[in-house]
Amino acid sequence: MAGFDKVVTSYAEALEGLEDNMTIIAGGFGLCGIPENLIKEIKRRGTKGLTIASNNAGVDGKGLGILLEDRQIKKMIASYVGENALFEAQMMSGELEVELTPQGTLAEKMRAGGAGIPAFFTATGYGTPVGEGKEVRVFNGREYILEEALFGDFSIAKAWKADRYGNLMFRKTARNFNPMAITAGKIAVVEVEEIVEVGQLDPDEIHLPGIYVNRLIQGTFEKTIEQLTVRSA
Amino acid sequence: MAGFDKVVTSYAEALEGLEDNMTIIAGGFGLCGIPENLIKEIKRRGTKGLTIASNNAGVDGKGLGILLEDRQIKKMIASYVGENALFEAQMMSGELEVELTPQGTLAEKMRAGGAGIPAFFTATGYGTPVGEGKEVRVFNGREYILEEALFGDFSIAKAWKADRYGNLMFRKTARNFNPMAITAGKIAVVEVEEIVEVGQLDPDEIHLPGIYVNRLIQGTFEKTIEQLTVRSA
Amino acid sequence: MALSREQLAQRVAQEFHDGFYVNLGIGIPTLAANYIPEDMQVMLQSENGLLGMGPFPLEEEVDADLINAGKQTVTMVTGASLFSSAESFAMIRGGHVDLTVLGAFEVDCQGNIASYMIPGKLIKGMGGAMDLVAGADNIIVTMTHASKSGASKLLAECTLPLTGKGCIKRVLTDLALMDIVEGKFVLRERARGVSVEEIAKLTAGELVIPDNVPEMRF
Amino acid sequence: MALSREQLAQRVAQEFHDGFYVNLGIGIPTLAANYIPEDMQVMLQSENGLLGMGPFPLEEEVDADLINAGKQTVTMVTGASLFSSAESFAMIRGGHVDLTVLGAFEVDCQGNIASYMIPGKLIKGMGGAMDLVAGADNIIVTMTHASKSGASKLLAECTLPLTGKGCIKRVLTDLALMDIVEGKFVLRERARGVSVEEIAKLTAGELVIPDNVPEMRF
């Protein structure tokens, strides 16, 4: 790697330095736009004691769900974990610590982590279990709670297209948490469907500049659909 | 206007309801990407006592500078006002109140206003005149100050292309403060170079969704260059 | 007679206005999209990053990269836009969505809502619901008025963990449409053939019954 | 002899590393872009929303929509990206820029910097400077060591309103390169033909002089 070329050629290299008890910020919503091969590599590495922030925890046997099988996740920060029986079992038994975080607050906590904002106020969660123990302050007659930023040792994310400098474009709703997740990790690792030469992406259409990306790898994706719903013609 | 069609056909209509002593959030950086015709319409209307948040205050005779001539601006929230002799004179004489705000804090205050974040912490300005009177709090061993969101009665901004629903694309560095400014105003008015039919913009390439835009107008622009700098071949 | 799911959806759709940006929760709220009047434009926001959600795809249109907040495959309407989750919730939290419709386990006459957790039984998470109720001025909660055993879900005070505090102003149940005004449920409409007395019996929170409570019309 | 503007820019460029994202302030810092070694890639961030700033345009390339933070017309290099001011300062505040170079009126040995205002005289505003000094770990301040009348600008305590507190670790003047370590200036290099004594005389803040202070090499 010289200059701004972020491309690595193996998943082992992509996650080099990932160690037990680290924190990972992960992109994806359900199984849509998840870094599936990076997750598989974490399973292969057998890294334990992980704290993972991601909107969902995958399903049984897919996505982050596969990291539950060998109990690699110590703590999960997520907004919705209802799709995963193994997750529920580990949570109920207390093996797995869970910090339920409202979806918008989770997105904003990731953005804040990447943007040098250590904390912000939001009305979301005021007066609910989410607000317990958090500072409440009134602005313009309304109560807000203080939420702190999220930072990761690593970010793992999935984009659609990238150039070799790590400039990224996402596709449809596979964008979701990916851009913010990338900004919030000390080492941001992104897998993409296609890597193009530098200069092939229109600078005005880049969704996330390569400055946030440390390592880039091209992968092939299963793209499992959770709820296949169709209409008839 | 029916449904989501945001197009208005006159500048008078575009700024209908703008009254004395209102607050306006304006896009633009220097004279780049400024809503020049909306500013001219404010001058024509003669609206007084305005509070305007904008990174710069234009130059003499251009941009927001023309609103100084008839003393329409009561207070300016800006990061840099060094290009404007009339501004400096009115500021020094105390006719014009100025709240100097760091550029990044200004951008974030606008974003926060649009995003339902009433306040956030930033290290920017800690220990400087900007931090005076503001709450200081330590996170991870570093001091940060609390900054509050900005809201406007109106936003005025300039984009490149729009569809009739107000979905926007910006061009090059004329994007600058425009997207955030638009989100922070109760009535967001945007002027553009071109209005295309709905469906002509790729949903993945829209920079700002039309939900933030209330009124849209097509204009012609002078695009004055402040510092023409060229190299020879 | 209690409203069917379809009737609930139909009644929700009566709250739509031309040009409204609307977020519809999973279940009955989503069904309301089927009842948007033909002469009216409504744009659906899906909090996973889509404004302008269309119907389910034809089989050949299915795209794993295009789903709604319920993880169902969907389509986009003409004029749709796509964005990140941070942008999506900036939109929601910042009050830019005109109407939010979502379900609940319980609502009380203080405007509190409980919809995401039954301790010891159901801990799936709040998803975007807490942001939606905190961000919207205009919310309709759709729910059944009482449990199968006849226990009211319209309470003086919610018993389950809250999703939002003091943010609900309108509730549509299978029996009635109610506003929440100054700490009281105010009965606005009743389902066809459902008496005011029956509604009163199944409403545990304080209830105001105006002189005239019309039946819902579809 | 005191460094010329070009030599200052050259010395700044020695701090660049291959693959660095750099923000260069107006004036001498901007000149440093002319001295990027040929075998090295450096990408320039312009805080008005451009990563990958290129040289000034040819006359026929001039585009009013493409300027730098000094409002000068510029170009983009291959691989550039464009974004909003909020995104730009997320990048800066979040510490993603590898090196920031900017000018100053005064610096003190506590790492404080004053660069934006002379009360009663010059009130143009801080622009992005406060965000840049607060957001970067790696900052070089370029300035003249003393005023024309010989008053030191490297002080025990800044006299002008601060741009940032305790954030400066390295200062390059026309006479010397200094680090700021534990409340003291540490002399690292001196301009060719400038004596340690001369530097000491013009440095008002506490100064540490190591045994060996090499001359700068270009």
Side-chain angles (χ1 to χ4, degrees):
Chain A
M1 264 202 311
F4 297 96
D5 192 342
K6 312 285 174 78
V7 178
V8 297
T9 51
S10 76
Y11 279 93
E13 195 183 344
L15 288 179
E16 205 180 294
L18 180 69
E19 287 169 19
D20 289 355
N21 305 311
M22 279 188 164
T23 296
I24 296 175
I25 316 285
F29 181 90
L31 298 180
C32 181
I34 56 170
E36 28 179 287
N37 300 297
L38 290 167
I39 295 167
K40 284 178 193 159
E41 173 65 16
I42 295 171
K43 183 173 174 70
R44 198 196 60 77
R45 292 176 74 91
T47 318
K48 303 259 182 193
L50 294 170
T51 295
I52 301 186
S54 162
N55 189 58
N56 309 87
V59 302
D60 294 314
K62 294 279 179 193
L64 293 171
I66 65 172
L67 303 183
L68 297 167
E69 295 160 5
D70 302 323
R71 294 181 167 63
Q72 293 179 259
I73 306 178
K74 184 181 71 186
K75 181 179 175 182
M76 191 76 212
I77 301 166
S79 89
Y80 192 77
V81 293
E83 292 106 343
N84 196 317
L86 187 53
F87 189 97
E88 215 166 323
Q90 290 187 15
M91 174 168 69
M92 290 299 199
S93 73
E95 284 172 278
L96 180 63
E97 192 188 337
V98 179
E99 190 175 317
L100 286 176
T101 303
Q103 194 171 145
T105 297
L106 183 61
E108 193 67 15
K109 280 163 81 89
M110 290 183 190
R111 180 190 179 273
I117 303 288
F120 59 89
F121 284 97
T122 174
T124 302
Y126 164 70
T128 79
V130 166
E132 276 167 28
K134 289 175 186 157
E135 180 184 336
V136 174
R137 192 176 301 196
V138 174
F139 294 93
N140 300 315
R142 190 166 180 206
E143 291 91 352
Y144 295 83
I145 59 172
L146 186 66
E147 291 280 4
E148 295 195 17
L150 270 174
F151 304 95
D153 299 295
F154 274 77
S155 306
I156 57 172
K158 194 245 164 205
W160 175 45
K161 260 193 208 183
D163 66 22
R164 300 184 70 90
Y165 288 2
N167 290 312
L168 302 179
M169 294 186 70
F170 303 90
R171 187 170 174 275
K172 301 191 177 172
T173 57
R175 190 177 327 183
N176 57 60
F177 283 79
N178 282 298
M180 295 81 71
I182 292 167
T183 69
K186 204 164 171 181
I187 299 178
V189 189
V190 183
E191 55 174 337
V192 298
E193 296 180 44
E194 190 186 352
I195 298 176
V196 301
E197 287 310 310
V198 174
Q200 288 193 263
L201 303 181
D202 181 341
D204 262 324
E205 289 172 11
I206 288 166
H207 293 137
L208 193 77
I211 192 172
Y212 293 110
V213 177
N214 299 92
R215 302 174 192 168
L216 183 69
I217 186 165
Q218 187 167 328
T220 54
F221 298 84
E222 287 181 43
K223 294 201 186 181
T224 307
I225 291 174
E226 266 180 272
Q227 305 282 341
L228 180 68
T229 45
V230 295
R231 73 179 196 278
S232 37
Chain B
M1 267 200 310
F4 297 96
D5 192 342
K6 313 286 175 76
V7 178
V8 299
T9 50
S10 75
Y11 279 92
E13 195 183 340
L15 288 180
E16 204 182 294
L18 179 69
E19 287 170 18
D20 289 356
N21 305 310
M22 279 187 166
T23 295
I24 297 175
I25 316 285
F29 180 91
L31 298 180
C32 181
I34 57 171
E36 31 181 280
N37 300 296
L38 289 168
I39 294 168
K40 285 177 192 161
E41 173 65 18
I42 295 172
K43 183 171 174 73
R44 198 198 58 79
R45 292 175 74 92
T47 317
K48 302 257 184 195
L50 294 171
T51 295
I52 301 186
S54 163
N55 189 59
N56 311 85
V59 302
D60 293 316
K62 295 279 180 193
L64 292 172
I66 65 173
L67 303 183
L68 297 167
E69 295 160 4
D70 303 321
R71 294 186 167 59
Q72 293 179 259
I73 305 178
K74 183 181 70 185
K75 179 179 173 180
M76 191 75 211
I77 301 166
S79 87
Y80 193 78
V81 294
E83 292 106 343
N84 195 317
L86 187 53
F87 189 97
E88 215 166 323
Q90 291 188 15
M91 174 168 67
M92 291 296 200
S93 74
E95 282 173 279
L96 179 63
E97 190 187 339
V98 179
E99 189 176 316
L100 285 178
T101 303
Q103 195 173 143
T105 297
L106 183 61
E108 193 66 15
K109 280 163 83 90
M110 290 183 188
R111 179 190 180 271
I117 304 286
F120 58 89
F121 283 96
T122 176
T124 303
Y126 163 70
T128 79
V130 166
E132 276 168 28
K134 288 176 186 157
E135 179 184 335
V136 174
R137 191 175 302 196
V138 174
F139 295 92
N140 300 314
R142 189 166 181 204
E143 292 91 353
Y144 295 83
I145 60 172
L146 186 66
E147 291 280 4
E148 295 197 15
L150 271 173
F151 304 96
D153 298 296
F154 274 78
S155 307
I156 58 171
K158 193 249 166 201
W160 174 44
K161 260 192 204 182
D163 67 21
R164 301 183 70 89
Y165 287 2
N167 291 311
L168 302 180
M169 294 184 72
F170 302 92
R171 188 171 173 277
K172 299 190 178 171
T173 57
R175 191 177 326 183
N176 57 60
F177 283 78
N178 281 298
M180 296 82 71
I182 291 166
T183 68
K186 205 164 171 178
I187 298 177
V189 189
V190 182
E191 56 174 335
V192 297
E193 297 180 43
E194 189 186 354
I195 297 175
V196 301
E197 286 311 309
V198 175
Q200 288 192 262
L201 303 182
D202 180 342
D204 262 324
E205 289 171 12
I206 288 166
H207 292 137
L208 194 78
I211 192 170
Y212 294 110
V213 177
N214 298 94
R215 301 174 192 169
L216 183 69
I217 186 164
Q218 187 167 330
T220 55
F221 297 84
E222 288 181 41
K223 293 199 187 183
T224 307
I225 290 175
E226 264 178 272
Q227 303 284 343
L228 181 67
T229 45
V230 295
R231 73 177 196 279
S232 36
Chain C
M1 224 178 67
L3 298 182
S4 65
R5 285 169 58 88
E6 282 67 29
Q7 285 173 315
L8 277 162
Q10 261 180 286
R11 183 58 193 82
V12 165
Q14 290 178 17
E15 304 286 308
F16 295 164
H17 288 87
D18 193 28
F20 257 30
Y21 297 99
V22 178
N23 185 294
L24 300 177
I26 296 170
I28 288 164
T30 296
L31 283 180
N34 298 331
Y35 298 98
I36 300 168
E38 292 223 345
D39 58 349
M40 194 184 279
Q41 278 192 300
V42 169
M43 204 171 268
L44 303 180
Q45 205 261 11
S46 186
E47 64 263 30
N48 55 319
L50 167 61
L51 183 66
M53 181 166 56
F56 295 139
L58 297 172
E59 202 148 352
E60 60 270 27
E61 290 174 331
V62 168
D63 184 340
D65 287 343
L66 188 55
I67 65 170
N68 66 16
K71 282 96 179 180
Q72 297 171 308
T73 47
V74 293
T75 57
M76 292 187 280
V77 300
T78 305
S81 54
L82 295 153
F83 35 82
S84 73
S85 299
E87 181 63 50
S88 184
F89 283 94
M91 216 173 261
I92 288 167
R93 216 190 299 101
H96 302 278
V97 174
D98 297 302
L99 174 65
T100 287
V101 188
L102 80 172
F105 301 141
E106 298 174 348
V107 164
D108 71 30
C109 49
Q110 309 306 318
N112 300 327
I113 174 173
S115 68
Y116 85 104
M117 196 214 247
I118 302 175
K121 243 171 109 179
L122 178 93
I123 312 180
K124 289 178 183 303
M126 68 294 284
M130 281 193 183
D131 303 280
L132 283 160
V133 298
D137 258 349
N138 192 8
I139 304 171
I140 301 172
V141 174
T142 60
M143 58 193 296
T144 52
H145 209 102
S147 71
K148 277 168 196 163
S149 58
S152 176
K153 297 180 178 180
L154 300 180
L155 305 175
E157 198 177 338
C158 288
T159 64
L160 295 171
L162 297 185
T163 307
K165 195 173 163 70
C167 50
I168 305 302
K169 293 180 199 142
R170 179 155 271 208
V171 184
L172 174 68
T173 74
D174 53 342
L175 304 183
L177 178 74
M178 300 184 153
D179 286 337
I180 298 173
V181 182
E182 291 170 5
K184 298 179 180 112
F185 292 112
V186 180
L187 184 57
R188 296 295 185 202
E189 297 176 19
R190 56 202 168 88
R192 196 154 184 183
V194 173
S195 69
V196 167
E197 292 69 31
E198 191 175 342
I199 293 164
K201 212 185 72 188
L202 290 171
T203 305
E206 191 171 348
L207 180 67
V208 175
I209 303 169
D211 289 345
N212 179 28
V213 182
E215 290 189 345
M216 287 179 204
R217 294 166 65 149
F218 298 101
Chain D
M1 222 177 70
L3 298 183
S4 66
R5 284 169 60 87
E6 282 67 29
Q7 284 173 315
L8 277 162
Q10 260 179 289
R11 182 60 193 83
V12 166
Q14 290 177 16
E15 303 286 307
F16 295 165
H17 287 87
D18 192 29
F20 257 29
Y21 298 98
V22 177
N23 185 294
L24 300 177
I26 296 168
I28 288 165
T30 296
L31 284 182
N34 298 332
Y35 298 99
I36 300 168
E38 291 224 343
D39 59 348
M40 196 185 277
Q41 279 192 298
V42 168
M43 204 172 267
L44 304 180
Q45 206 261 12
S46 186
E47 65 261 30
N48 56 320
L50 167 60
L51 183 66
M53 181 166 57
F56 295 141
L58 297 172
E59 202 149 352
E60 62 269 27
E61 290 175 331
V62 167
D63 184 341
D65 287 343
L66 188 55
I67 64 169
N68 66 16
K71 282 97 178 178
Q72 297 171 310
T73 46
V74 292
T75 56
M76 291 187 280
V77 299
T78 305
S81 54
L82 296 153
F83 36 83
S84 72
S85 300
E87 181 62 50
S88 184
F89 284 94
M91 215 173 264
I92 289 166
R93 216 191 296 103
H96 302 279
V97 174
D98 297 300
L99 175 65
T100 287
V101 187
L102 78 173
F105 301 142
E106 298 174 347
V107 164
D108 71 29
C109 48
Q110 308 306 317
N112 299 326
I113 174 172
S115 69
Y116 84 104
M117 197 214 245
I118 302 174
K121 242 172 110 178
L122 177 93
I123 312 181
K124 290 178 182 302
M126 68 293 286
M130 282 193 183
D131 304 279
L132 282 160
V133 297
D137 258 349
N138 192 9
I139 304 171
I140 300 172
V141 173
T142 60
M143 57 194 297
T144 51
H145 208 102
S147 72
K148 278 170 197 160
S149 57
S152 177
K153 296 180 178 180
L154 300 181
L155 306 174
E157 199 177 338
C158 288
T159 63
L160 295 170
L162 297 185
T163 307
K165 194 174 163 68
C167 51
I168 305 304
K169 294 180 201 142
R170 179 156 270 210
V171 184
L172 175 68
T173 74
D174 52 344
L175 304 184
L177 178 74
M178 300 184 156
D179 285 338
I180 298 173
V181 182
E182 291 171 4
K184 298 176 181 118
F185 291 112
V186 180
L187 184 56
R188 296 296 186 201
E189 296 176 20
R190 55 203 169 85
R192 197 156 183 178
V194 173
S195 69
V196 167
E197 291 68 30
E198 192 174 342
I199 293 165
K201 211 185 73 188
L202 290 171
T203 304
E206 190 171 350
L207 180 66
V208 175
I209 303 171
D211 289 345
N212 180 29
V213 181
E215 288 190 347
M216 287 180 206
R217 296 166 63 150
F218 297 102

